[in-house]
Every structure is written in structure tokens, then in C-alpha cells.
Amino acid sequence: MKIAVCVKQVPDTETKIRIRADGRSIEEAGVNFVVSPYDEYAVEEALRLKEKQGGEVVAFTVGDERAATALRTVLAMGADRGVHLKDPAFEGSDALGISRILAAALKKTSFDLILFGKQAVGTDQGQVGPRVAELLDLPHVSVVVSLAVEAGRLTAEREIEGALEIVESPLPAVITAQKGLNEPRYASLKGILAAKKKEILTVTLADLGLEASSVGAAGAREIWEKLEVPPSRGAGKILKDMEPAAAARELVRLLREEAKVL
Amino acid sequence: MPKDVLVFVESRAGQVKRPSLQALSEGRRVADALGAKLRALLIGSQVEALASELAAHGPDSVLIAEHPLLAHYQAEAFTAVLAEAVRTTASEYAFLSATAMGRDLAARAAARLEAGLASDCTHAEVTAGELRVKRPVYSGKAVATVRLAGSPSLATLRPNAFPLAAAPRTPSIEKLSLDLPESRIRARTTGIKASEAAEIDVAEAAIVVSGGRAMKGPENFALIRSLAEALGGAMGASRAAVDAGWVGHQYQVGQTGKVVSPMLYIACGISGAIQHLAGMSTSKVIVAINKDAEAPIFKLADYGIVGDLYEILPKLTEEVRRMKGQ
Ligand SMILES: Cc1cc2nc3c(=O)[nH]c(=O)nc-3n(C[C@H](O)[C@H](O)[C@H](O)COP(=O)(O)OP(=O)(O)OC[C@H]3O[C@@H](n4cnc5c(N)ncnc54)[C@H](O)[C@@H]3O)c2cc1C
């Protein structure tokens, strides 16, 4: 099986957010960047499939110089090689642009399975997996919590409200991974050392044959005009040092008479 | 050219989803601000009967797409229909609710339409004939104001973040003609596994009561369940409780669980880690019950009780039952 896994480098969720003077982006200095947690489930699933069925796992990322460390992490987990999609023209891409870049790169090889995280932590859109599937004219299943691949077909369970949907599809196909799919491994010291010797191919706009105007800030259709800290909710009413029964009675009264939610 | 608005109305098993009615209400508000038409789109195998339910929330017309291949949600089939509906109506904006179905469909359809898409929006406003939406980003630590450039553009709206508004109309009914070759649908839904009892899903509930690590074991979740039941709401949990195996993952609220935005969220023995807040910080009213007065959840809470949940929850359930005369 030839398996592709697409990953994104994101700020660690614990990171404190400081908004830049431009009012549209975050200060990156001092931020700890990690592979988006859902992408780790995708990587783990790719590695397990390869271990069972043989083949190759190729990791893709779009990003600046710094994003190469995300690829190294995935190589250290066990991926065979990396593709770093890096070009000044890619900067400022929205989900549409990123999907065009990834689809153009993925098209150069026939992969049996292409895996993504269900969404990148930070922007939390959940768009790129299904968008890439559409651009490559492949079937997809998103928010997958269980996956079986056999004889050129897959059966997946995807999370919906109050239930799981069972979806079957021929390969090649695109999957987006949800927590629950597996338990991602850590990179071992041996893996980290091995990763240093693995190949990372850098691919630019020209290599992909894309128009500069279709990607990056130039091609973006979803434009962040402003980034703000959410309005503070104001000081709440906290009941302290009260008998449990009295506190319960007072809370119900407040919810009914003041907040009017009961 | 007026900038018409199309709202995809989700139904499952012959039931219109409440978040879709909220999206329709918001669609009416936006269409009015733009001086445009509002269309509702129903996709399914026998959905025409549902059109009358939509009339109360303001569509000028209801587009019906019926086909045996549309009996269940299947991304490729629904994408073909939604993209076709947006194109034939020349809609400027298409809204979907940010449910499992809405998020999946919106992303694939946006690619087909080469459109921008803003996911999981919590606010929309029209100024000088232009739509802007807001969406929480970075685990809710920031809010982005987004302009959607180009036509068409799509947005998914967070369930419960937009009010249900009455705007009665007598919509016209239009049928969308469909060319849906079976061979085009490769990924097929072959079954649905319902989880446990027929409970209200935490992502859809108007009231959510969640328990955290302080519950200490599965048996104590009975306290959470009783209060949720008394309130007519759903049970939720923090990741700590889910990872410990006390309740299933379908109850998890937060970054790696479900995003909720109920009228009332009650966090019991939950410290308020940023990843938990990411899933519930846009709830209308937040209540925290925690024995640690310094717990970060109190910073977000509108109301709180500092104390032992094992003493407070039974009293609270009793009080709610008394109030409701149960
Ligand atoms: C990538 C990533 C994703 C994550 N995703 C999620 C997610 O989706 N959802 C999520 O919830 N977490 C998530 N987490 C985990 C998160 O960081 C916290 O670990 C988790 O939310 C803590 O759960 P808790 O508040 O129940 O437990 P704790 O932080 O241990 O808090 C327990 C609280 O209970 C209080 N308490 C104890 N006993 C009592 C009592 N008798 N009465 C009253 N109060 C009591 C304590 O004072 C404390 O505040 C994620 C973490 C990471 C790294």
C-alpha cells in the first residue's frame, strides 16, 4: 500500500495567545509548535496499515522553514519520507489554497490511501481532507474512529451526533482521523536518529505547476480581517461558604429569575 | 444582483434537525439585511413533507431534492446536489449547520464550487451589503472576524449559537432536477450504530451537565445523569473522565470531543483546562461546581458554587425537581 499522510504544524493548545500589532495574526515568538493532535492519529493509522500490509508512508506538509520539524517528528514516528511544500507564494493560504497545493502534490503519485487529521487545532476548520478528496475526485470519509482496509476496500466508522455511521468505500480514498481511532506512538530515540537520515523533498509552486494567484494570500477566499480576544464574561456570582441545600436553592433561583434559563 | 442566501436543511429519519431551523432563522436575518431571497434546501428520499415545518422560519422558497440514492447522507451524492442547488439559484451565500453532516458536506461542496468556507461560526453580520462572520479560533482563546470573498461563499453555523426566530412565510416549492448516476457514489453509508439508549446528544442539547475527574468512577455519573434528566438536558464529561473509561467518548466535551453551545452548561468537578473550555466557552450561561475556589473554570462561570459536588448535586437535583413539580 502506498499511503500519504498530511500534517500541519500548530501552536500547542496550552500556548498563551498574543495578538500581533496587525490585529489579524498571533505572535509566534515564544510559541511551542507541535504536530496537530488529530494528525497524530492519522500518522499512527498509516504506520499500522504499513506494518500489517507493507508499503510506504509518505508525509506531506505545507509550511515555512519551521514546518520541517513537523515532518521530522512524523519521520521519527516511522514514516518513510517527507514532502515539504514550501514557497513564499504559499504564505497566507486559506483552506482552499492549502487544498489546491496538497492536491497538486498528491496527484503526482497514486496513493491507495490519503490520511488527514479531522481538523487542524488552531483554525479548527476541518475542511482540507474533504476538499482534497474532491479535488482529486476520490471518495472520502471524515471524523473516522475505526478503520479496516482489505482487498482494495475500506470500512470506516465515523462519528455523528448520538451514533456512528458505517461507511464502505473502494480505494483509493481519503480519511480524516478522530480521537479514538488509535493511540499514537511516541517517537523513540532510535526513530529520532533514523529520521535524520530520511529524505525530505522540498517542492515549490513551480514544481506543482500551480498559478501563484490560485494559492497564498492572493487566492484566499476566507479572509481574516480581525483577531480579538473574546469578550470577558464579567465576574460571575460565586456562592461560597453556604450550606449545600441553601446554595442549591439559591442557584436554582438565580438560574430561573436572573439568567432565565430554567 | 441581490445576494441570495441558501440554507441546507438537515434531516435524519424524517426529522428536521433543530440547528437547521436556527440556521434558517439566521439566513432570514442575513437575507433581509442584504435585501435578498432566502431559499431552504431539503435533500433526501422523502423530504417534501418536511417543507411545511420550515415555513415558520422564513424561507421564500423551499427547494426539494429527492432521490432514492439520497436516503442516507453520503458525501458525494449530497455534494453534487448542494453544488447544483447553489449554482442554479446563483446563491451568493450557502449556510449549513456545523453538525457532523454539515461540516463534512460544506467542505466537499466548497471544493467543488471553488468557494471560501468559514467553519463553525458563532456570529454573522451584514454591513454595507457585505457579510462578515465570527468564529472562535485557537481553542476559543481568540475570535476571528472573517470576510468571505468571491461568490459563492459557504459558512457552517455552530448549533445553538444562533436563536430560533419566528418569521412565518408561505414558501413556494421548487423541485431540483437531478442527474445522479449510481456509479458516482463510491463511499456508501451501509449502516448506523446508535450509541446506548435514545439519549439527547450532548452537541444538540439546550442544557448540558458535565462531570470531570472528580466523579472518581463510573457509578458516580448517576449524580450527573440525574441532574441532567431533571433539567431535560444531556450528560457530558471532561476528557479526564472519558480517558479513565468512566463514560464513553460520545460524551466528551472539548477540543478532542464535541463542541457545545447550550443555553446552560453546568461543569461539575471540572477544573477548566483550555481544551475543555474550547468545547463549551460559547455556552450562554455557565455554572461551575468545584471545591477549589481557585479553579480556572470559575473565571468563565456566570454562577458558581464552591463546595463538594457530592453534597451539592443531590440537593440541586432535588431543588430542580421541586421547581418543576416533578
Ligand atoms: C491535545 C489535547 C486535547 C485535549 N482535549 C480535551 C477535551 O476535548 N476535553 C477535555 O475536557 N479535556 C481535554 N484535554 C485534557 C485537559 O487538558 C484536561 O486534562 C482535562 O480537561 C481535565 O479534566 P478535569 O477538569 O475533569 O480534571 P482535573 O483537571 O483533574 O480537575 C478536576 C477538578 O475537580 C475538582 N474536584 C475534585 N473533587 C471534587 C469534589 N468532591 N467536588 C467538587 N469539585 C471537586 C478539583 O478541584 C478540580 O478542579 C486535552 C488535552 C490535550 C493535551
Side-chain angles (χ1 to χ4, degrees), chain A residues 185-197:
Chain A
R185 70 194 67 188
Y186 291 103
S188 63
L189 185 61
K190 198 168 143 235
I192 293 166
L193 292 174
K196 295 204 167 119
K197 299 199 194 88

Side-chain angles (χ1 to χ4, degrees), chain A residues 13 15 38 142 221 225, chain B residues 104 114 132 135 141 255 303:
Chain A
T13 48
T15 294
Y38 299 109
S142 67
R221 306 278 302 270
E225 290 189 328
Chain B
D104 188 63
E114 297 189 63
R132 284 183 175 72
R135 49 185 308 269
K141 286 176 281 191
Q255 182 116 54
Y303 300 100

Side-chain angles (χ1 to χ4, degrees), chain A:
Chain A
M1 283 241 290
K2 275 190 93 68
I3 305 170
V5 57
C6 301
V7 300
K8 183 180 180 184
Q9 196 181 44
V10 300
D12 186 334
T13 48
E14 299 289 346
T15 294
K16 287 227 163 31
I17 294 295
R18 281 177 301 133
I19 293 164
R20 273 200 187 128
D22 70 1
R24 301 164 181 218
S25 56
I26 59 162
E27 205 64 72
E28 295 190 348
V31 170
N32 181 29
F33 283 91
V34 297
V35 173
S36 182
Y38 299 109
D39 297 346
E40 293 184 350
Y41 301 115
V43 173
E44 178 64 35
E45 202 63 17
L47 296 174
R48 288 186 189 191
L49 281 167
K50 180 194 149 175
E51 282 157 9
K52 252 195 271 168
Q53 312 197 354
E56 191 191 26
V57 174
V58 188
F60 289 77
T61 200
V62 184
D64 59 10
E65 200 50 54
R66 200 192 53 224
T69 57
L71 284 180
R72 287 286 167 212
T73 304
V74 176
L75 295 178
M77 285 173 78
D80 297 293
R81 53 191 183 87
V83 179
H84 188 178
L85 300 152
K86 182 165 73 103
D87 196 298
F90 297 162
E91 278 165 35
S93 292
D94 62 357
L96 179 140
I98 297 291
S99 307
R100 283 180 174 151
I101 296 163
L102 285 170
L106 289 161
K107 215 185 291 186
K108 293 187 180 286
T109 314
S110 339
F111 288 102
D112 299 298
L113 195 64
I114 303 171
L115 293 137
F116 292 83
K118 76 153 180 165
Q119 67 195 54
V121 158
T123 49
D124 286 324
Q125 301 249 49
Q127 294 185 19
V128 173
R131 275 186 184 266
V132 165
E134 174 67 23
L135 293 177
L136 294 175
D137 190 22
L138 295 178
H140 85 272
V141 194
S142 67
V143 199
V144 167
V145 293
S146 131
L147 180 68
V149 178
E150 219 176 327
R153 290 190 67 78
L154 68 82
T155 305
E157 289 180 353
R158 67 182 297 261
E159 214 174 64
I160 62 169
E161 292 82 12
L164 294 174
E165 228 165 39
I166 301 156
V167 184
E168 291 181 26
S169 172
L171 300 185
V174 172
I175 290 293
T176 81
Q178 163 69 322
K179 176 183 181 244
L181 180 58
N182 53 45
E183 215 34 75
R185 70 194 67 188
Y186 291 103
S188 63
L189 185 61
K190 198 168 143 235
I192 293 166
L193 292 174
K196 295 204 167 119
K197 299 199 194 88
K198 289 179 181 169
E199 179 203 13
I200 292 183
L201 184 69
T202 301
V203 172
T204 64
L205 180 82
D207 300 326
L208 294 178
L210 286 171
E211 294 287 333
S213 61
S214 71
V215 297
R221 306 278 302 270
E222 192 228 336
I223 294 145
W224 288 25
E225 290 189 328
K226 201 161 61 178
L227 201 59
E228 296 164 290
V229 173
S232 107
R233 299 180 71 103
K237 268 193 194 148
I238 310 298
L239 311 173
K240 269 193 267 208
D241 306 322
M242 285 173 77
E243 279 301 310
R249 209 174 311 124
E250 178 60 4
L251 179 64
V252 170
R253 190 191 68 78
L254 287 167
L255 291 177
R256 191 160 66 151
E257 293 173 15
E258 194 177 88
K260 299 195 163 53
V261 288
L262 293 186

